[in-house]
Amino acid sequence: MIPLTASIRTRLRLRHLQLILAVWEHGSLRRASDEIGMTQPAATKALHELEDLLGVTLFERHARGIDPTVFGEAVIRYARVVFADLGTLREELVAIESGNVGAVRLGAVMAPSQDLLTSTIVALKQAHPKLHITVQIDTSDVLVHALQEDQLDLVVGRVPNGWPAEDLTFETLAEEPLSLVTRPQHPISERTSPVRIGELAEYPWIIQPHPSPMREIIDQTFRHSRVALPENTIETSSILTTLSLLRAADMIAVLPTSVARYYQEQGTLAVVPARFRGRLAPYGLILRSNRRATPATQIVIDAIRATAQTGL
């Protein structure tokens, strides 16, 4: 029987979590005990204490070593978060000691990076020059996973359909319309009348990998048009790779309309007059519900909200 939270708080020690991470990394109690400076009998005793405390078996023993059970995997996941938070705590204390505001790890999908994040970061650096911001641009599935693994502090994106999100909060910021793009020299780029999806299937496509929401919309558009997804495709979530491929060949890609218009104004891309039947869900602020935002993270959250409310 799993004990009450109060019992776990009273009896659980960081040494227990340190040991279980070492066992998971090495697959051996002997090597784990060597790494953290414990004797093997002491490590065995500590592991038994932890299993007795939680009321479950954390590892299965076999001839090749030991592997985590489903309970062990859950404890390992939370142990990693605990030690990641301790690392973040130290960084924040060092930042405060040195006169800095702190550090924030921000993840975002492509669309808000063009306007919302640019305006937000410029304003933030003017108000807080020593605020250290790390920005990761990727698909929502990659970013949300990184947020749940404590590799990011907040995400501007969307929670993918069917994603386990009990530990997440979502706050809507804006819509993200999509556009089809090619290089300006593409044969289809001179069309001014609406283009049917079937006419585009003969060309190579650059598409995002599953399970990104944008890929779901692409698949949905082809299904509704009763057209098979092009066989000649390249999967990537990198905007740089997408732009390079579009410049080099007669390919077609899907980009957020704000991004597409920016590159169209630069003369780099052409927007194809084709309509998507599906629409992406609004993107927004995604945070972990079981983690209180640090002062530095709260500054960034407030700035993103303020910028979004002004309509850029």
Side-chain angles (χ1 to χ4, degrees), residues 180-196:
L180 278 175
V181 295
T182 66
R183 65 176 179 175
Q185 300 81 17
H186 194 289
I188 208 75
S189 66
E190 297 180 359
R191 289 278 296 272
T192 56
S193 58
V195 179
R196 292 180 290 106

PDB file of all heavy atoms in Angstrom, residues 180-196:
ATOM      1  N   LEU A 180       0.917  27.877 -47.379  1.00  0.00           N
ATOM      2  CA  LEU A 180       1.788  27.071 -48.232  1.00  0.00           C
ATOM      3  C   LEU A 180       2.814  27.982 -48.874  1.00  0.00           C
ATOM      4  O   LEU A 180       2.475  29.077 -49.359  1.00  0.00           O
ATOM      5  CB  LEU A 180       0.981  26.377 -49.327  1.00  0.00           C
ATOM      6  CG  LEU A 180       0.252  25.087 -48.969  1.00  0.00           C
ATOM      7  CD1 LEU A 180      -0.592  24.631 -50.146  1.00  0.00           C
ATOM      8  CD2 LEU A 180       1.248  24.007 -48.602  1.00  0.00           C
ATOM      9  N   VAL A 181       4.065  27.549 -48.912  1.00  0.00           N
ATOM     10  CA  VAL A 181       5.125  28.389 -49.474  1.00  0.00           C
ATOM     11  C   VAL A 181       6.012  27.586 -50.420  1.00  0.00           C
ATOM     12  O   VAL A 181       6.141  26.359 -50.303  1.00  0.00           O
ATOM     13  CB  VAL A 181       5.992  29.007 -48.361  1.00  0.00           C
ATOM     14  CG1 VAL A 181       5.180  29.970 -47.506  1.00  0.00           C
ATOM     15  CG2 VAL A 181       6.614  27.932 -47.492  1.00  0.00           C
ATOM     16  N   THR A 182       6.597  28.300 -51.362  1.00  0.00           N
ATOM     17  CA  THR A 182       7.588  27.752 -52.288  1.00  0.00           C
ATOM     18  C   THR A 182       8.666  28.805 -52.486  1.00  0.00           C
ATOM     19  O   THR A 182       8.555  29.926 -51.979  1.00  0.00           O
ATOM     20  CB  THR A 182       6.955  27.432 -53.659  1.00  0.00           C
ATOM     21  OG1 THR A 182       6.536  28.678 -54.263  1.00  0.00           O
ATOM     22  CG2 THR A 182       5.759  26.501 -53.526  1.00  0.00           C
ATOM     23  N   ARG A 183       9.662  28.481 -53.273  1.00  0.00           N
ATOM     24  CA  ARG A 183      10.603  29.518 -53.669  1.00  0.00           C
ATOM     25  C   ARG A 183       9.939  30.365 -54.764  1.00  0.00           C
ATOM     26  O   ARG A 183       9.026  29.895 -55.463  1.00  0.00           O
ATOM     27  CB  ARG A 183      11.908  28.907 -54.159  1.00  0.00           C
ATOM     28  CG  ARG A 183      11.814  28.069 -55.426  1.00  0.00           C
ATOM     29  CD  ARG A 183      13.203  27.612 -55.827  1.00  0.00           C
ATOM     30  NE  ARG A 183      13.201  26.768 -57.029  1.00  0.00           N
ATOM     31  CZ  ARG A 183      14.316  26.339 -57.624  1.00  0.00           C
ATOM     32  NH1 ARG A 183      15.501  26.685 -57.130  1.00  0.00           N
ATOM     33  NH2 ARG A 183      14.251  25.572 -58.686  1.00  0.00           N
ATOM     34  N   PRO A 184      10.362  31.621 -54.958  1.00  0.00           N
ATOM     35  CA  PRO A 184       9.721  32.488 -55.951  1.00  0.00           C
ATOM     36  C   PRO A 184       9.790  31.940 -57.374  1.00  0.00           C
ATOM     37  O   PRO A 184       8.938  32.275 -58.205  1.00  0.00           O
ATOM     38  CB  PRO A 184      10.501  33.800 -55.827  1.00  0.00           C
ATOM     39  CG  PRO A 184      11.034  33.791 -54.432  1.00  0.00           C
ATOM     40  CD  PRO A 184      11.343  32.358 -54.140  1.00  0.00           C
ATOM     41  N   GLN A 185      10.783  31.094 -57.674  1.00  0.00           N
ATOM     42  CA  GLN A 185      10.948  30.565 -59.023  1.00  0.00           C
ATOM     43  C   GLN A 185      10.133  29.290 -59.264  1.00  0.00           C
ATOM     44  O   GLN A 185      10.183  28.714 -60.344  1.00  0.00           O
ATOM     45  CB  GLN A 185      12.427  30.268 -59.294  1.00  0.00           C
ATOM     46  CG  GLN A 185      13.359  31.468 -59.193  1.00  0.00           C
ATOM     47  CD  GLN A 185      13.734  31.804 -57.758  1.00  0.00           C
ATOM     48  OE1 GLN A 185      13.560  30.975 -56.853  1.00  0.00           O
ATOM     49  NE2 GLN A 185      14.236  33.015 -57.546  1.00  0.00           N
ATOM     50  N   HIS A 186       9.381  28.840 -58.274  1.00  0.00           N
ATOM     51  CA  HIS A 186       8.601  27.612 -58.411  1.00  0.00           C
ATOM     52  C   HIS A 186       7.519  27.804 -59.482  1.00  0.00           C
ATOM     53  O   HIS A 186       6.899  28.884 -59.554  1.00  0.00           O
ATOM     54  CB  HIS A 186       7.949  27.254 -57.074  1.00  0.00           C
ATOM     55  CG  HIS A 186       7.415  25.867 -56.991  1.00  0.00           C
ATOM     56  ND1 HIS A 186       6.293  25.456 -57.684  1.00  0.00           N
ATOM     57  CD2 HIS A 186       7.840  24.779 -56.280  1.00  0.00           C
ATOM     58  CE1 HIS A 186       6.050  24.185 -57.411  1.00  0.00           C
ATOM     59  NE2 HIS A 186       6.979  23.747 -56.564  1.00  0.00           N
ATOM     60  N   PRO A 187       7.241  26.789 -60.323  1.00  0.00           N
ATOM     61  CA  PRO A 187       6.218  26.924 -61.366  1.00  0.00           C
ATOM     62  C   PRO A 187       4.847  27.323 -60.838  1.00  0.00           C
ATOM     63  O   PRO A 187       4.098  28.024 -61.516  1.00  0.00           O
ATOM     64  CB  PRO A 187       6.181  25.517 -61.993  1.00  0.00           C
ATOM     65  CG  PRO A 187       7.518  24.938 -61.713  1.00  0.00           C
ATOM     66  CD  PRO A 187       7.928  25.496 -60.388  1.00  0.00           C
ATOM     67  N   ILE A 188       4.520  26.901 -59.615  1.00  0.00           N
ATOM     68  CA  ILE A 188       3.200  27.182 -59.074  1.00  0.00           C
ATOM     69  C   ILE A 188       3.102  28.581 -58.480  1.00  0.00           C
ATOM     70  O   ILE A 188       2.008  29.077 -58.191  1.00  0.00           O
ATOM     71  CB  ILE A 188       2.827  26.115 -58.007  1.00  0.00           C
ATOM     72  CG1 ILE A 188       1.304  25.935 -57.914  1.00  0.00           C
ATOM     73  CG2 ILE A 188       3.399  26.486 -56.637  1.00  0.00           C
ATOM     74  CD1 ILE A 188       0.720  25.177 -59.056  1.00  0.00           C
ATOM     75  N   SER A 189       4.237  29.249 -58.277  1.00  0.00           N
ATOM     76  CA  SER A 189       4.244  30.532 -57.565  1.00  0.00           C
ATOM     77  C   SER A 189       3.603  31.657 -58.367  1.00  0.00           C
ATOM     78  O   SER A 189       3.222  32.690 -57.804  1.00  0.00           O
ATOM     79  CB  SER A 189       5.678  30.920 -57.192  1.00  0.00           C
ATOM     80  OG  SER A 189       6.437  31.174 -58.360  1.00  0.00           O
ATOM     81  N   GLU A 190       3.495  31.504 -59.677  1.00  0.00           N
ATOM     82  CA  GLU A 190       2.908  32.556 -60.509  1.00  0.00           C
ATOM     83  C   GLU A 190       1.381  32.506 -60.527  1.00  0.00           C
ATOM     84  O   GLU A 190       0.732  33.414 -61.048  1.00  0.00           O
ATOM     85  CB  GLU A 190       3.444  32.445 -61.944  1.00  0.00           C
ATOM     86  CG  GLU A 190       4.950  32.648 -62.031  1.00  0.00           C
ATOM     87  CD  GLU A 190       5.461  32.522 -63.463  1.00  0.00           C
ATOM     88  OE1 GLU A 190       4.633  32.262 -64.364  1.00  0.00           O
ATOM     89  OE2 GLU A 190       6.675  32.696 -63.653  1.00  0.00           O
ATOM     90  N   ARG A 191       0.795  31.448 -59.961  1.00  0.00           N
ATOM     91  CA  ARG A 191      -0.662  31.331 -59.940  1.00  0.00           C
ATOM     92  C   ARG A 191      -1.277  32.376 -59.017  1.00  0.00           C
ATOM     93  O   ARG A 191      -0.812  32.605 -57.897  1.00  0.00           O
ATOM     94  CB  ARG A 191      -1.056  29.931 -59.477  1.00  0.00           C
ATOM     95  CG  ARG A 191      -0.768  28.828 -60.473  1.00  0.00           C
ATOM     96  CD  ARG A 191      -1.858  28.742 -61.518  1.00  0.00           C
ATOM     97  NE  ARG A 191      -3.131  28.365 -60.928  1.00  0.00           N
ATOM     98  CZ  ARG A 191      -3.519  27.095 -60.755  1.00  0.00           C
ATOM     99  NH1 ARG A 191      -2.724  26.094 -61.136  1.00  0.00           N
ATOM    100  NH2 ARG A 191      -4.695  26.827 -60.222  1.00  0.00           N
ATOM    101  N   THR A 192      -2.332  33.004 -59.460  1.00  0.00           N
ATOM    102  CA  THR A 192      -3.065  33.962 -58.632  1.00  0.00           C
ATOM    103  C   THR A 192      -4.423  33.407 -58.220  1.00  0.00           C
ATOM    104  O   THR A 192      -4.989  33.823 -57.210  1.00  0.00           O
ATOM    105  CB  THR A 192      -3.263  35.282 -59.373  1.00  0.00           C
ATOM    106  OG1 THR A 192      -3.919  35.027 -60.626  1.00  0.00           O
ATOM    107  CG2 THR A 192      -1.916  35.955 -59.639  1.00  0.00           C
ATOM    108  N   SER A 193      -4.948  32.465 -59.002  1.00  0.00           N
ATOM    109  CA  SER A 193      -6.219  31.827 -58.662  1.00  0.00           C
ATOM    110  C   SER A 193      -5.962  30.703 -57.663  1.00  0.00           C
ATOM    111  O   SER A 193      -4.841  30.184 -57.571  1.00  0.00           O
ATOM    112  CB  SER A 193      -6.890  31.274 -59.913  1.00  0.00           C
ATOM    113  OG  SER A 193      -6.037  30.343 -60.567  1.00  0.00           O
ATOM    114  N   PRO A 194      -6.991  30.310 -56.899  1.00  0.00           N
ATOM    115  CA  PRO A 194      -6.810  29.236 -55.900  1.00  0.00           C
ATOM    116  C   PRO A 194      -6.281  27.948 -56.514  1.00  0.00           C
ATOM    117  O   PRO A 194      -6.668  27.560 -57.611  1.00  0.00           O
ATOM    118  CB  PRO A 194      -8.230  29.044 -55.346  1.00  0.00           C
ATOM    119  CG  PRO A 194      -8.887  30.363 -55.557  1.00  0.00           C
ATOM    120  CD  PRO A 194      -8.346  30.897 -56.845  1.00  0.00           C
ATOM    121  N   VAL A 195      -5.374  27.307 -55.798  1.00  0.00           N
ATOM    122  CA  VAL A 195      -4.739  26.076 -56.254  1.00  0.00           C
ATOM    123  C   VAL A 195      -5.325  24.912 -55.463  1.00  0.00           C
ATOM    124  O   VAL A 195      -5.447  24.974 -54.234  1.00  0.00           O
ATOM    125  CB  VAL A 195      -3.210  26.126 -56.052  1.00  0.00           C
ATOM    126  CG1 VAL A 195      -2.561  24.827 -56.506  1.00  0.00           C
ATOM    127  CG2 VAL A 195      -2.621  27.310 -56.797  1.00  0.00           C
ATOM    128  N   ARG A 196      -5.694  23.844 -56.153  1.00  0.00           N
ATOM    129  CA  ARG A 196      -6.207  22.655 -55.480  1.00  0.00           C
ATOM    130  C   ARG A 196      -5.063  21.810 -54.933  1.00  0.00           C
ATOM    131  O   ARG A 196      -3.975  21.761 -55.517  1.00  0.00           O
ATOM    132  CB  ARG A 196      -7.054  21.826 -56.451  1.00  0.00           C
ATOM    133  CG  ARG A 196      -8.359  22.499 -56.863  1.00  0.00           C
ATOM    134  CD  ARG A 196      -9.167  21.641 -57.824  1.00  0.00           C
ATOM    135  NE  ARG A 196      -8.526  21.556 -59.133  1.00  0.00           N
ATOM    136  CZ  ARG A 196      -7.889  20.482 -59.579  1.00  0.00           C
ATOM    137  NH1 ARG A 196      -7.788  19.384 -58.827  1.00  0.00           N
ATOM    138  NH2 ARG A 196      -7.333  20.485 -60.773  1.00  0.00           N
TER     139      ARG A 196
END
